[in-house]
Every structure is written in C-alpha cells, then in structure tokens.
Amino acid sequence: MALPNPGPLLTGVAPRVGAIPGWFNLDDLAHFSLVLSTQTTSGIHGDLLEIGCYHGRSAAVLAMHLQADERLFLADAFDLPLDDPYGDTPTPEQVWQNLANAVPNLPRERVSIKRAYSNNVQLPPDTRVRFAHIDGGHDAATVRADLALCARYLMPGGVMAIDDYAHPQYPGVTEAVNEFLDSQASFHILADLNRSGALGRKLYLARMREAA
Ligand SMILES: C[S@@+](CC[C@H](N)C(=O)[O-])C[C@H]1O[C@@H](n2cnc3c(N)ncnc32)[C@H](O)[C@@H]1O
C-alpha cells in the first residue's frame, strides 16, 4: 500500500524546527506532536514546561501546540557554570527569536524563558502543567529534583517526557526515573520510545486522570 502524503508535519514543521540547533530529532517531533495534540483533542488543557531548552528546538514544538490561555515555561542554566557544560550557549533572547522564527504569531507574553538552575525554578502558584519535558542536567540528583518539580505541577492526564532514559553514558537518568516510578503510584509509563540514531530513549510518564 502506498504511504500517505506526510503532509505539513514533514514539509512545513520539520524544517522550521530543524533550523534550530539541538538533538531533538524527527521521531521526537512526531512523538511530541502526537501526545500534545491527543491531549488537546481529549480536552486536557494546561501549561507546558521544559527544563533544559538549549537553543529552543524541542521548545519550538511545544510552542507550536500552545493553545489559547496556555503558557509555556522554559528554564535553562544558559551561561551559568555547569559540571557538564554545553558549548555554544545561547541567551534567553536568542531562544525567543528562534521560537518566534519557528512559530509565527507566538504571543510573547505567554512564553517565559528563565535563566536559572532547575533547582531554583519558581513557577506561578496557578501553574497546572499538561506536558513537561525534562532535558536539563543528566545526573541522578538533578533528574530526581526535576522529576519532583514537574510532578508537583503536573495535572491529572498530564505527561512528562524524560530524555536519555537507559542511555549508557547517563545512568543517573535511569536511576532517578526508576526510583520515581517505584515511589509514585499515580504515574505510569505511557510510552518508552527509541529514536532513530539516538542511544538514549525518551520515557513518557502519565499521571492518571482520576488522581487528584
Ligand atoms: C540537551 S540540552 C537541551 C536540548 C533541548 N531540550 C532540545 O531538545 O533542543 C540540555 C540543556 O540543559 C541545560 N542544563 C543542564 N543542567 C542544568 C541545570 N541544572 N539547570 C538548568 N539547566 C540545565 C543546559 O544548559 C542545556 O542547554
């Protein structure tokens, strides 16, 4: 059977996302789009959060799915010192420009880009997150704290995606996620997805809808 025309996901969105530096690949783009659009069609409405935005490649996909009255919160250490530093560090303003180039008419007032270590991230008290992406520090202590931060704000039906689960170079990610799953009965694995060319998987954890 002939494959259907890939349509705007590949011909329109992928080049705009791919123009931003980063490791988020086409599989990730498809997986995020599926989860985010399924939430929207299921009536799950809330904020979007990312720990570790780098230049904004994965954040651009979050921004594309932002619905009316939803907010996008991004946090990154940017130029603050890190044990495992990233070269080519952008500024928050450069990240905003990358998002604005990829997502025409993105409302500036609904996007927050914070320069902070994730353990100093403060979100407004009315934050209710429907989708979080944890892609900051990859050591166990940081991932543990980032999981706790996202879980604090994640609404029932919300999903958090953790980068580099089961990556051989980042055992701390796997350790922290497994501990979290052992201690949090209201979360289950929604998807455990490998991505073409990547050693680590993205693990998608969902908070059960009936859990308050
Ligand atoms: C792999 S990159 C993120 C890539 C991005 N999510 C994407 O897919 O386009 C990881 C980012 O996490 C940030 N980071 C690392 N440790 C952090 C920490 N403790 N707090 C905040 N940001 C951190 C780094 O500055 C870097 O920009």
Side-chain angles (χ1 to χ4, degrees), residues 21-24 50-59 75-78 82 84 86 116-119 133 135-138 142 146 163 202:
W23 298 267
F24 196 77
E50 183 172 71
I51 308 290
C53 63
Y54 194 50
H55 285 256
R57 184 188 273 201
S58 46
D76 198 290
F78 290 109
L82 289 170
D84 193 7
Y86 286 74
Y117 293 118
S118 57
N119 61 5
H133 184 205
D135 193 10
H138 280 38
T142 302
D146 292 352
D163 188 60
K202 280 216 200 270

